[in-house]
Amino acid sequence: MNNSENISQERFERIEQYLEGKMSVDERSRFESELTTDPQLAEQLEELRVLILGVETAALKDKMEAFHADLTPVKDIASGGGNRSTVIWRWSIAAILIVAFGLFWMLKSDNDYEKLYAKHFSPDPGLPTTMSSTANYEFYEGMVNYKQGDYKTALSKWQTIRDDAMGMDTLHYFRGVAYLAKGDPDNSIKYLQPLWNMEDNSFSAETAHYLGLAYLKIGDIEEAINYLTFSKEESAKEILSEIKD
Amino acid sequence: MGNTNQITAQLHLAEAVKNNDELVLKQLYQECYGKIEVHILKNNGTKPQAKDTYQEAFIATWQNVKSGKFVPTNETALQGYLYRIAKNKWTDYLRSSQFKKTSSIGEGYEIPDEFDETSTDTYEQLNNAMEAFRQLGNECKQLLTHFYFEKKSLREIAMAFEIGEASARNKKYRCINKLRELAKTPIFKNE
């Protein structure tokens, strides 16, 4: 388009008001009927529409860089995953570990594992709750309780959320962690286990971490080691080496 | 109980996205990124590719919410929509570069790449506009961002710049003219 003509300030501001949806109904319909008879106006409208969208998009790009740099540790886990062969490879390592440390588990009492669990369990710090007033209201409400350590209330608020209402993995993940934090490893496993088996799970490393801890708490060391091997947490490594000792 | 609440929450979310509510955009961005990254890493991608693909999808989602092309319904949550666009973009990428249009689609649900519905012409013009914006002086950049992206009023902008409201208004007009000029001279664009 080659409309190098000058757009007067008055005309520009009218077009802008139209684009920004700031016109009254009357003004709007007048403007729209002018559009049909004044091709130059239509052309200028299109030019300004693209320019303003460009301004907004460029601004959004800058913002996204900031959002990205500020991804919370909760999200930084995402690098988990890996393709099938690395998964098999990791399971092999887990299997070797099981064999290698097999003897030692038998010598440990449940009490030791319980202590080990208590020493190393800390709940996921949770998600930022800035969106509480707008979206996923119940989830973020529950998240506030969760962050305050009131897992019971958090869980009851999350109980009513439908699975497909939001990222199902997010919901199940936090349900699982909350159950564990409130001392109920069995229910925790009920949520975390299927999550772990899911294809697109954004929390795979964390899921493995808490699954491992849940099994540690109930004294199923074999499974605990299995899962903790997939965790990226420092504490998981410590647990694994303490189980060894 | 969930249904009406959920849909209302989704409508609020869409409205906030439309208004460029920064907190909401940030929350949405961060909430959905991990899942996409996992998907792309699992499918022969790298972290930088995951980031680029996701950001393109995020922009497409945002534009479609703004233009009213996407309206949340019962089944389609915004998060899911964003996820699908990103996934499709990655599938397209894989097909174009590595798989040379051979293997057929594996996933059950495919939506057309909404972004590419915009004609190449408009797309180019938009890129032009963005490039022009980058070449603007800082003051104009800030002013236009405050006004068009952050939806601040002229009064707020005048206060931020410590000038009168009338001169903020004139300045905005001058900045737009500068932007028009830059967008018309397609020198050194290319990103």
Side-chain angles (χ1 to χ4, degrees), chain A residues 7 9 13 16 47 56 65 67-68 70 78 130 138 140 162 199, chain B residues 1 3 20 26-27 29-30 37 42 51 66 148 169 172-173 180:
Chain A
I7 304 178
Q9 183 160 359
E13 283 171 358
E16 178 190 63
E47 186 198 351
E56 285 188 79
E65 287 306 316
F67 300 163
H68 202 91
D70 190 29
T130 43
E138 286 149 318
Y140 286 100
R162 285 170 7 142
E199 167 73 5
Chain B
M1 59 169 288
N3 263 4
N20 302 331
K26 183 175 178 179
Q27 174 75 48
Y29 183 97
Q30 298 190 334
E37 193 185 78
K42 272 186 186 160
K51 183 184 163 193
K66 275 172 81 71
Y148 294 112
R169 184 172 162 185
K172 173 159 64 68
Y173 175 63
R180 289 182 74 207

PDB file of all heavy atoms in Angstrom, chain A residues 7 9 13 16 47 56 65 67-68 70 78 130 138 140 162 199, chain B residues 1 3 20 26-27 29-30 37 42 51 66 148 169 172-173 180:
ATOM      1  N   ILE A   7      -1.948  12.015   7.298  1.00  0.00           N
ATOM      2  CA  ILE A   7      -3.223  11.842   7.994  1.00  0.00           C
ATOM      3  C   ILE A   7      -3.290  12.934   9.052  1.00  0.00           C
ATOM      4  O   ILE A   7      -2.403  13.011   9.896  1.00  0.00           O
ATOM      5  CB  ILE A   7      -3.313  10.465   8.686  1.00  0.00           C
ATOM      6  CG1 ILE A   7      -3.078   9.334   7.676  1.00  0.00           C
ATOM      7  CG2 ILE A   7      -4.660  10.282   9.371  1.00  0.00           C
ATOM      8  CD1 ILE A   7      -3.103   7.949   8.293  1.00  0.00           C
ATOM      9  N   GLN A   9      -4.188  15.046  12.365  1.00  0.00           N
ATOM     10  CA  GLN A   9      -4.276  14.552  13.743  1.00  0.00           C
ATOM     11  C   GLN A   9      -5.718  14.191  14.101  1.00  0.00           C
ATOM     12  O   GLN A   9      -5.978  13.187  14.748  1.00  0.00           O
ATOM     13  CB  GLN A   9      -3.736  15.600  14.717  1.00  0.00           C
ATOM     14  CG  GLN A   9      -3.740  15.120  16.168  1.00  0.00           C
ATOM     15  CD  GLN A   9      -2.795  15.914  17.041  1.00  0.00           C
ATOM     16  OE1 GLN A   9      -2.115  16.821  16.576  1.00  0.00           O
ATOM     17  NE2 GLN A   9      -2.744  15.577  18.328  1.00  0.00           N
ATOM     18  N   GLU A  13      -6.940  10.500  15.109  1.00  0.00           N
ATOM     19  CA  GLU A  13      -7.533  10.187  16.410  1.00  0.00           C
ATOM     20  C   GLU A  13      -8.905   9.527  16.295  1.00  0.00           C
ATOM     21  O   GLU A  13      -9.290   8.722  17.125  1.00  0.00           O
ATOM     22  CB  GLU A  13      -7.576  11.441  17.293  1.00  0.00           C
ATOM     23  CG  GLU A  13      -6.194  11.716  17.856  1.00  0.00           C
ATOM     24  CD  GLU A  13      -6.057  13.045  18.578  1.00  0.00           C
ATOM     25  OE1 GLU A  13      -7.051  13.809  18.628  1.00  0.00           O
ATOM     26  OE2 GLU A  13      -4.956  13.328  19.073  1.00  0.00           O
ATOM     27  N   GLU A  16      -8.144   5.965  15.388  1.00  0.00           N
ATOM     28  CA  GLU A  16      -7.620   5.322  16.595  1.00  0.00           C
ATOM     29  C   GLU A  16      -8.749   4.950  17.562  1.00  0.00           C
ATOM     30  O   GLU A  16      -8.789   3.840  18.100  1.00  0.00           O
ATOM     31  CB  GLU A  16      -6.637   6.279  17.265  1.00  0.00           C
ATOM     32  CG  GLU A  16      -6.047   5.752  18.547  1.00  0.00           C
ATOM     33  CD  GLU A  16      -5.290   6.841  19.258  1.00  0.00           C
ATOM     34  OE1 GLU A  16      -5.916   7.858  19.651  1.00  0.00           O
ATOM     35  OE2 GLU A  16      -4.058   6.716  19.414  1.00  0.00           O
ATOM     36  N   GLU A  47      -3.959   0.613   7.456  1.00  0.00           N
ATOM     37  CA  GLU A  47      -2.556   0.910   7.726  1.00  0.00           C
ATOM     38  C   GLU A  47      -2.330   1.093   9.230  1.00  0.00           C
ATOM     39  O   GLU A  47      -1.403   0.519   9.807  1.00  0.00           O
ATOM     40  CB  GLU A  47      -2.136   2.180   6.973  1.00  0.00           C
ATOM     41  CG  GLU A  47      -0.635   2.451   7.102  1.00  0.00           C
ATOM     42  CD  GLU A  47      -0.233   3.875   6.757  1.00  0.00           C
ATOM     43  OE1 GLU A  47      -1.077   4.641   6.255  1.00  0.00           O
ATOM     44  OE2 GLU A  47       0.943   4.215   7.018  1.00  0.00           O
ATOM     45  N   GLU A  56       1.869  -3.304  19.528  1.00  0.00           N
ATOM     46  CA  GLU A  56       1.481  -4.202  20.620  1.00  0.00           C
ATOM     47  C   GLU A  56       2.249  -5.512  20.570  1.00  0.00           C
ATOM     48  O   GLU A  56       2.674  -6.041  21.586  1.00  0.00           O
ATOM     49  CB  GLU A  56      -0.023  -4.488  20.541  1.00  0.00           C
ATOM     50  CG  GLU A  56      -0.880  -3.340  20.993  1.00  0.00           C
ATOM     51  CD  GLU A  56      -2.332  -3.759  21.082  1.00  0.00           C
ATOM     52  OE1 GLU A  56      -2.681  -4.413  22.079  1.00  0.00           O
ATOM     53  OE2 GLU A  56      -3.103  -3.465  20.153  1.00  0.00           O
ATOM     54  N   GLU A  65      10.002 -11.999  26.760  1.00  0.00           N
ATOM     55  CA  GLU A  65      11.388 -12.264  27.152  1.00  0.00           C
ATOM     56  C   GLU A  65      11.511 -12.171  28.670  1.00  0.00           C
ATOM     57  O   GLU A  65      12.172 -12.980  29.303  1.00  0.00           O
ATOM     58  CB  GLU A  65      12.349 -11.269  26.482  1.00  0.00           C
ATOM     59  CG  GLU A  65      12.560 -11.516  24.997  1.00  0.00           C
ATOM     60  CD  GLU A  65      13.008 -12.947  24.681  1.00  0.00           C
ATOM     61  OE1 GLU A  65      13.892 -13.471  25.394  1.00  0.00           O
ATOM     62  OE2 GLU A  65      12.464 -13.548  23.729  1.00  0.00           O
ATOM     63  N   PHE A  67       9.033 -12.572  30.847  1.00  0.00           N
ATOM     64  CA  PHE A  67       8.310 -13.701  31.456  1.00  0.00           C
ATOM     65  C   PHE A  67       9.197 -14.944  31.426  1.00  0.00           C
ATOM     66  O   PHE A  67       9.232 -15.721  32.368  1.00  0.00           O
ATOM     67  CB  PHE A  67       7.026 -14.055  30.689  1.00  0.00           C
ATOM     68  CG  PHE A  67       6.010 -12.957  30.586  1.00  0.00           C
ATOM     69  CD1 PHE A  67       4.997 -13.032  29.627  1.00  0.00           C
ATOM     70  CD2 PHE A  67       6.043 -11.864  31.433  1.00  0.00           C
ATOM     71  CE1 PHE A  67       4.042 -12.030  29.514  1.00  0.00           C
ATOM     72  CE2 PHE A  67       5.091 -10.861  31.326  1.00  0.00           C
ATOM     73  CZ  PHE A  67       4.105 -10.944  30.353  1.00  0.00           C
ATOM     74  N   HIS A  68       9.887 -15.093  30.300  1.00  0.00           N
ATOM     75  CA  HIS A  68      10.669 -16.312  30.112  1.00  0.00           C
ATOM     76  C   HIS A  68      11.846 -16.348  31.077  1.00  0.00           C
ATOM     77  O   HIS A  68      12.155 -17.373  31.669  1.00  0.00           O
ATOM     78  CB  HIS A  68      11.151 -16.410  28.675  1.00  0.00           C
ATOM     79  CG  HIS A  68      11.477 -17.807  28.260  1.00  0.00           C
ATOM     80  ND1 HIS A  68      10.547 -18.637  27.684  1.00  0.00           N
ATOM     81  CD2 HIS A  68      12.604 -18.546  28.391  1.00  0.00           C
ATOM     82  CE1 HIS A  68      11.093 -19.815  27.463  1.00  0.00           C
ATOM     83  NE2 HIS A  68      12.346 -19.789  27.882  1.00  0.00           N
ATOM     84  N   ASP A  70      11.968 -15.131  33.782  1.00  0.00           N
ATOM     85  CA  ASP A  70      11.455 -15.211  35.143  1.00  0.00           C
ATOM     86  C   ASP A  70      10.627 -16.475  35.364  1.00  0.00           C
ATOM     87  O   ASP A  70       9.818 -16.539  36.271  1.00  0.00           O
ATOM     88  CB  ASP A  70      10.590 -13.958  35.379  1.00  0.00           C
ATOM     89  CG  ASP A  70      10.207 -13.804  36.833  1.00  0.00           C
ATOM     90  OD1 ASP A  70      10.979 -14.261  37.685  1.00  0.00           O
ATOM     91  OD2 ASP A  70       9.128 -13.247  37.105  1.00  0.00           O
ATOM     92  N   ALA A  78      10.978 -28.489  33.244  1.00  0.00           N
ATOM     93  CA  ALA A  78      10.430 -29.031  32.005  1.00  0.00           C
ATOM     94  C   ALA A  78      11.418 -29.827  31.191  1.00  0.00           C
ATOM     95  O   ALA A  78      11.049 -30.654  30.391  1.00  0.00           O
ATOM     96  CB  ALA A  78       9.893 -27.900  31.148  1.00  0.00           C
ATOM     97  N   THR A 130      -1.177 -15.018  41.159  1.00  0.00           N
ATOM     98  CA  THR A 130      -1.598 -13.707  40.658  1.00  0.00           C
ATOM     99  C   THR A 130      -2.898 -13.721  39.888  1.00  0.00           C
ATOM    100  O   THR A 130      -3.539 -12.710  39.754  1.00  0.00           O
ATOM    101  CB  THR A 130      -0.517 -13.140  39.725  1.00  0.00           C
ATOM    102  OG1 THR A 130      -0.071 -14.209  38.884  1.00  0.00           O
ATOM    103  CG2 THR A 130       0.625 -12.596  40.515  1.00  0.00           C
ATOM    104  N   GLU A 138     -11.018 -21.451  41.468  1.00  0.00           N
ATOM    105  CA  GLU A 138     -10.938 -22.400  42.577  1.00  0.00           C
ATOM    106  C   GLU A 138      -9.530 -22.944  42.752  1.00  0.00           C
ATOM    107  O   GLU A 138      -9.062 -23.140  43.860  1.00  0.00           O
ATOM    108  CB  GLU A 138     -11.897 -23.574  42.340  1.00  0.00           C
ATOM    109  CG  GLU A 138     -13.340 -23.210  42.544  1.00  0.00           C
ATOM    110  CD  GLU A 138     -14.234 -24.042  41.643  1.00  0.00           C
ATOM    111  OE1 GLU A 138     -13.873 -24.230  40.463  1.00  0.00           O
ATOM    112  OE2 GLU A 138     -15.289 -24.488  42.121  1.00  0.00           O
ATOM    113  N   TYR A 140      -6.657 -21.512  42.068  1.00  0.00           N
ATOM    114  CA  TYR A 140      -5.735 -20.565  42.674  1.00  0.00           C
ATOM    115  C   TYR A 140      -6.122 -20.227  44.109  1.00  0.00           C
ATOM    116  O   TYR A 140      -5.276 -19.921  44.934  1.00  0.00           O
ATOM    117  CB  TYR A 140      -5.581 -19.331  41.787  1.00  0.00           C
ATOM    118  CG  TYR A 140      -4.739 -19.677  40.587  1.00  0.00           C
ATOM    119  CD1 TYR A 140      -5.311 -19.948  39.356  1.00  0.00           C
ATOM    120  CD2 TYR A 140      -3.365 -19.839  40.720  1.00  0.00           C
ATOM    121  CE1 TYR A 140      -4.539 -20.344  38.273  1.00  0.00           C
ATOM    122  CE2 TYR A 140      -2.586 -20.232  39.645  1.00  0.00           C
ATOM    123  CZ  TYR A 140      -3.171 -20.473  38.434  1.00  0.00           C
ATOM    124  OH  TYR A 140      -2.406 -20.864  37.377  1.00  0.00           O
ATOM    125  N   ARG A 162     -13.089 -29.818  37.743  1.00  0.00           N
ATOM    126  CA  ARG A 162     -13.113 -30.892  36.750  1.00  0.00           C
ATOM    127  C   ARG A 162     -11.732 -31.071  36.154  1.00  0.00           C
ATOM    128  O   ARG A 162     -10.995 -30.116  35.978  1.00  0.00           O
ATOM    129  CB  ARG A 162     -14.107 -30.550  35.642  1.00  0.00           C
ATOM    130  CG  ARG A 162     -15.538 -30.727  36.089  1.00  0.00           C
ATOM    131  CD  ARG A 162     -16.489 -30.152  35.071  1.00  0.00           C
ATOM    132  NE  ARG A 162     -15.795 -29.722  33.851  1.00  0.00           N
ATOM    133  CZ  ARG A 162     -16.299 -29.868  32.645  1.00  0.00           C
ATOM    134  NH1 ARG A 162     -17.458 -30.430  32.477  1.00  0.00           N
ATOM    135  NH2 ARG A 162     -15.642 -29.419  31.579  1.00  0.00           N
ATOM    136  N   GLU A 199       1.761 -39.188  28.847  1.00  0.00           N
ATOM    137  CA  GLU A 199       2.704 -38.816  27.792  1.00  0.00           C
ATOM    138  C   GLU A 199       3.216 -37.375  27.952  1.00  0.00           C
ATOM    139  O   GLU A 199       4.399 -37.134  28.052  1.00  0.00           O
ATOM    140  CB  GLU A 199       1.997 -39.016  26.439  1.00  0.00           C
ATOM    141  CG  GLU A 199       2.667 -38.408  25.246  1.00  0.00           C
ATOM    142  CD  GLU A 199       3.921 -39.156  24.820  1.00  0.00           C
ATOM    143  OE1 GLU A 199       4.222 -40.220  25.402  1.00  0.00           O
ATOM    144  OE2 GLU A 199       4.598 -38.668  23.929  1.00  0.00           O
TER     145      GLU A 199
ATOM    146  N   MET B   1     -21.117 -28.143  39.512  1.00  0.00           N
ATOM    147  CA  MET B   1     -21.045 -26.709  39.686  1.00  0.00           C
ATOM    148  C   MET B   1     -20.054 -26.063  38.738  1.00  0.00           C
ATOM    149  O   MET B   1     -20.220 -24.999  38.257  1.00  0.00           O
ATOM    150  CB  MET B   1     -20.670 -26.381  41.123  1.00  0.00           C
ATOM    151  CG  MET B   1     -19.331 -26.981  41.534  1.00  0.00           C
ATOM    152  SD  MET B   1     -18.714 -26.344  43.110  1.00  0.00           S
ATOM    153  CE  MET B   1     -18.252 -24.690  42.670  1.00  0.00           C
ATOM    154  N   ASN B   3     -19.113 -26.039  35.669  1.00  0.00           N
ATOM    155  CA  ASN B   3     -19.235 -25.573  34.299  1.00  0.00           C
ATOM    156  C   ASN B   3     -19.385 -24.075  34.080  1.00  0.00           C
ATOM    157  O   ASN B   3     -18.590 -23.479  33.388  1.00  0.00           O
ATOM    158  CB  ASN B   3     -20.399 -26.284  33.633  1.00  0.00           C
ATOM    159  CG  ASN B   3     -19.874 -27.444  32.841  1.00  0.00           C
ATOM    160  OD1 ASN B   3     -18.664 -27.700  32.894  1.00  0.00           O
ATOM    161  ND2 ASN B   3     -20.728 -28.130  32.131  1.00  0.00           N
ATOM    162  N   ASN B  20      -4.413  -6.978  27.490  1.00  0.00           N
ATOM    163  CA  ASN B  20      -2.976  -7.070  27.773  1.00  0.00           C
ATOM    164  C   ASN B  20      -2.669  -6.967  29.258  1.00  0.00           C
ATOM    165  O   ASN B  20      -1.667  -6.370  29.631  1.00  0.00           O
ATOM    166  CB  ASN B  20      -2.193  -5.991  27.022  1.00  0.00           C
ATOM    167  CG  ASN B  20      -2.409  -6.070  25.529  1.00  0.00           C
ATOM    168  OD1 ASN B  20      -2.665  -7.137  24.993  1.00  0.00           O
ATOM    169  ND2 ASN B  20      -2.322  -4.939  24.866  1.00  0.00           N
ATOM    170  N   LYS B  26       1.459 -13.015  31.947  1.00  0.00           N
ATOM    171  CA  LYS B  26       2.632 -13.668  32.529  1.00  0.00           C
ATOM    172  C   LYS B  26       2.258 -15.042  33.098  1.00  0.00           C
ATOM    173  O   LYS B  26       2.921 -16.048  32.858  1.00  0.00           O
ATOM    174  CB  LYS B  26       3.214 -12.787  33.628  1.00  0.00           C
ATOM    175  CG  LYS B  26       4.468 -13.351  34.246  1.00  0.00           C
ATOM    176  CD  LYS B  26       5.051 -12.364  35.252  1.00  0.00           C
ATOM    177  CE  LYS B  26       6.280 -12.987  35.888  1.00  0.00           C
ATOM    178  NZ  LYS B  26       6.910 -12.097  36.852  1.00  0.00           N
ATOM    179  N   GLN B  27       1.159 -15.028  33.821  1.00  0.00           N
ATOM    180  CA  GLN B  27       0.690 -16.281  34.426  1.00  0.00           C
ATOM    181  C   GLN B  27       0.405 -17.331  33.355  1.00  0.00           C
ATOM    182  O   GLN B  27       0.822 -18.484  33.459  1.00  0.00           O
ATOM    183  CB  GLN B  27      -0.573 -15.979  35.242  1.00  0.00           C
ATOM    184  CG  GLN B  27      -1.257 -17.199  35.821  1.00  0.00           C
ATOM    185  CD  GLN B  27      -0.496 -17.739  37.012  1.00  0.00           C
ATOM    186  OE1 GLN B  27      -0.134 -16.995  37.900  1.00  0.00           O
ATOM    187  NE2 GLN B  27      -0.251 -19.038  37.016  1.00  0.00           N
ATOM    188  N   TYR B  29       1.531 -17.397  30.304  1.00  0.00           N
ATOM    189  CA  TYR B  29       2.781 -17.764  29.638  1.00  0.00           C
ATOM    190  C   TYR B  29       3.519 -18.828  30.451  1.00  0.00           C
ATOM    191  O   TYR B  29       3.958 -19.838  29.930  1.00  0.00           O
ATOM    192  CB  TYR B  29       3.658 -16.518  29.489  1.00  0.00           C
ATOM    193  CG  TYR B  29       4.952 -16.775  28.734  1.00  0.00           C
ATOM    194  CD1 TYR B  29       5.036 -16.493  27.380  1.00  0.00           C
ATOM    195  CD2 TYR B  29       6.078 -17.299  29.371  1.00  0.00           C
ATOM    196  CE1 TYR B  29       6.205 -16.730  26.678  1.00  0.00           C
ATOM    197  CE2 TYR B  29       7.252 -17.547  28.681  1.00  0.00           C
ATOM    198  CZ  TYR B  29       7.314 -17.257  27.330  1.00  0.00           C
ATOM    199  OH  TYR B  29       8.471 -17.505  26.640  1.00  0.00           O
ATOM    200  N   GLN B  30       3.640 -18.561  31.723  1.00  0.00           N
ATOM    201  CA  GLN B  30       4.449 -19.454  32.554  1.00  0.00           C
ATOM    202  C   GLN B  30       3.724 -20.760  32.850  1.00  0.00           C
ATOM    203  O   GLN B  30       4.350 -21.798  32.996  1.00  0.00           O
ATOM    204  CB  GLN B  30       4.846 -18.731  33.839  1.00  0.00           C
ATOM    205  CG  GLN B  30       5.691 -17.504  33.519  1.00  0.00           C
ATOM    206  CD  GLN B  30       6.322 -16.879  34.734  1.00  0.00           C
ATOM    207  OE1 GLN B  30       5.804 -17.009  35.839  1.00  0.00           O
ATOM    208  NE2 GLN B  30       7.421 -16.179  34.549  1.00  0.00           N
ATOM    209  N   GLU B  37       7.390 -27.264  26.272  1.00  0.00           N
ATOM    210  CA  GLU B  37       8.818 -27.566  26.203  1.00  0.00           C
ATOM    211  C   GLU B  37       9.022 -29.075  26.244  1.00  0.00           C
ATOM    212  O   GLU B  37       9.783 -29.630  25.450  1.00  0.00           O
ATOM    213  CB  GLU B  37       9.588 -26.890  27.334  1.00  0.00           C
ATOM    214  CG  GLU B  37      11.077 -26.936  27.078  1.00  0.00           C
ATOM    215  CD  GLU B  37      11.904 -26.392  28.221  1.00  0.00           C
ATOM    216  OE1 GLU B  37      12.077 -27.114  29.221  1.00  0.00           O
ATOM    217  OE2 GLU B  37      12.390 -25.258  28.119  1.00  0.00           O
ATOM    218  N   LYS B  42      10.766 -33.771  23.599  1.00  0.00           N
ATOM    219  CA  LYS B  42      10.526 -35.199  23.333  1.00  0.00           C
ATOM    220  C   LYS B  42      10.469 -35.484  21.848  1.00  0.00           C
ATOM    221  O   LYS B  42      10.551 -36.614  21.420  1.00  0.00           O
ATOM    222  CB  LYS B  42       9.186 -35.637  23.950  1.00  0.00           C
ATOM    223  CG  LYS B  42       9.307 -36.093  25.375  1.00  0.00           C
ATOM    224  CD  LYS B  42       7.971 -36.639  25.845  1.00  0.00           C
ATOM    225  CE  LYS B  42       8.010 -36.965  27.316  1.00  0.00           C
ATOM    226  NZ  LYS B  42       6.648 -37.029  27.871  1.00  0.00           N
ATOM    227  N   LYS B  51      11.355 -22.537  22.911  1.00  0.00           N
ATOM    228  CA  LYS B  51      11.027 -21.161  23.291  1.00  0.00           C
ATOM    229  C   LYS B  51      10.456 -20.389  22.101  1.00  0.00           C
ATOM    230  O   LYS B  51       9.415 -19.737  22.218  1.00  0.00           O
ATOM    231  CB  LYS B  51      12.280 -20.472  23.825  1.00  0.00           C
ATOM    232  CG  LYS B  51      12.045 -19.073  24.306  1.00  0.00           C
ATOM    233  CD  LYS B  51      13.347 -18.433  24.733  1.00  0.00           C
ATOM    234  CE  LYS B  51      13.173 -16.931  24.823  1.00  0.00           C
ATOM    235  NZ  LYS B  51      14.453 -16.230  24.935  1.00  0.00           N
ATOM    236  N   LYS B  66      -7.726 -11.382  20.712  1.00  0.00           N
ATOM    237  CA  LYS B  66      -8.005  -9.965  20.457  1.00  0.00           C
ATOM    238  C   LYS B  66      -8.989  -9.768  19.324  1.00  0.00           C
ATOM    239  O   LYS B  66      -9.891  -8.949  19.403  1.00  0.00           O
ATOM    240  CB  LYS B  66      -6.710  -9.245  20.072  1.00  0.00           C
ATOM    241  CG  LYS B  66      -5.893  -8.778  21.233  1.00  0.00           C
ATOM    242  CD  LYS B  66      -4.552  -8.267  20.739  1.00  0.00           C
ATOM    243  CE  LYS B  66      -4.648  -6.860  20.215  1.00  0.00           C
ATOM    244  NZ  LYS B  66      -4.864  -5.898  21.300  1.00  0.00           N
ATOM    245  N   TYR B 148      -0.780   1.909  23.739  1.00  0.00           N
ATOM    246  CA  TYR B 148      -1.443   0.840  22.988  1.00  0.00           C
ATOM    247  C   TYR B 148      -1.344  -0.528  23.649  1.00  0.00           C
ATOM    248  O   TYR B 148      -2.245  -1.328  23.554  1.00  0.00           O
ATOM    249  CB  TYR B 148      -0.903   0.758  21.559  1.00  0.00           C
ATOM    250  CG  TYR B 148      -1.240   1.990  20.754  1.00  0.00           C
ATOM    251  CD1 TYR B 148      -0.248   2.866  20.360  1.00  0.00           C
ATOM    252  CD2 TYR B 148      -2.557   2.274  20.429  1.00  0.00           C
ATOM    253  CE1 TYR B 148      -0.557   4.011  19.640  1.00  0.00           C
ATOM    254  CE2 TYR B 148      -2.879   3.407  19.713  1.00  0.00           C
ATOM    255  CZ  TYR B 148      -1.878   4.272  19.318  1.00  0.00           C
ATOM    256  OH  TYR B 148      -2.186   5.400  18.620  1.00  0.00           O
ATOM    257  N   ARG B 169      -0.621  14.032  23.958  1.00  0.00           N
ATOM    258  CA  ARG B 169      -1.463  13.696  22.811  1.00  0.00           C
ATOM    259  C   ARG B 169      -0.768  14.045  21.495  1.00  0.00           C
ATOM    260  O   ARG B 169      -0.761  13.248  20.551  1.00  0.00           O
ATOM    261  CB  ARG B 169      -2.752  14.497  22.967  1.00  0.00           C
ATOM    262  CG  ARG B 169      -3.778  14.223  21.945  1.00  0.00           C
ATOM    263  CD  ARG B 169      -5.032  14.945  22.368  1.00  0.00           C
ATOM    264  NE  ARG B 169      -5.949  15.078  21.250  1.00  0.00           N
ATOM    265  CZ  ARG B 169      -7.081  15.767  21.348  1.00  0.00           C
ATOM    266  NH1 ARG B 169      -7.399  16.383  22.475  1.00  0.00           N
ATOM    267  NH2 ARG B 169      -7.887  15.844  20.313  1.00  0.00           N
ATOM    268  N   LYS B 172       2.096  11.683  20.828  1.00  0.00           N
ATOM    269  CA  LYS B 172       1.635  10.383  20.341  1.00  0.00           C
ATOM    270  C   LYS B 172       1.407  10.455  18.823  1.00  0.00           C
ATOM    271  O   LYS B 172       1.805   9.561  18.089  1.00  0.00           O
ATOM    272  CB  LYS B 172       0.349   9.970  21.060  1.00  0.00           C
ATOM    273  CG  LYS B 172      -0.302   8.709  20.503  1.00  0.00           C
ATOM    274  CD  LYS B 172      -1.222   8.046  21.495  1.00  0.00           C
ATOM    275  CE  LYS B 172      -2.420   8.911  21.864  1.00  0.00           C
ATOM    276  NZ  LYS B 172      -3.381   9.121  20.745  1.00  0.00           N
ATOM    277  N   TYR B 173       0.792  11.557  18.391  1.00  0.00           N
ATOM    278  CA  TYR B 173       0.544  11.732  16.960  1.00  0.00           C
ATOM    279  C   TYR B 173       1.861  11.787  16.183  1.00  0.00           C
ATOM    280  O   TYR B 173       2.015  11.148  15.140  1.00  0.00           O
ATOM    281  CB  TYR B 173      -0.272  13.015  16.757  1.00  0.00           C
ATOM    282  CG  TYR B 173      -0.510  13.386  15.307  1.00  0.00           C
ATOM    283  CD1 TYR B 173      -1.234  12.547  14.468  1.00  0.00           C
ATOM    284  CD2 TYR B 173      -0.019  14.590  14.796  1.00  0.00           C
ATOM    285  CE1 TYR B 173      -1.465  12.893  13.146  1.00  0.00           C
ATOM    286  CE2 TYR B 173      -0.237  14.947  13.471  1.00  0.00           C
ATOM    287  CZ  TYR B 173      -0.960  14.092  12.648  1.00  0.00           C
ATOM    288  OH  TYR B 173      -1.182  14.435  11.332  1.00  0.00           O
ATOM    289  N   ARG B 180       4.916   5.468  10.878  1.00  0.00           N
ATOM    290  CA  ARG B 180       4.418   5.273   9.512  1.00  0.00           C
ATOM    291  C   ARG B 180       5.550   5.424   8.516  1.00  0.00           C
ATOM    292  O   ARG B 180       5.692   4.630   7.593  1.00  0.00           O
ATOM    293  CB  ARG B 180       3.346   6.312   9.171  1.00  0.00           C
ATOM    294  CG  ARG B 180       2.026   6.124   9.871  1.00  0.00           C
ATOM    295  CD  ARG B 180       1.037   7.185   9.405  1.00  0.00           C
ATOM    296  NE  ARG B 180       0.534   6.938   8.054  1.00  0.00           N
ATOM    297  CZ  ARG B 180       0.107   7.892   7.222  1.00  0.00           C
ATOM    298  NH1 ARG B 180       0.128   9.167   7.591  1.00  0.00           N
ATOM    299  NH2 ARG B 180      -0.336   7.585   6.022  1.00  0.00           N
TER     300      ARG B 180
END
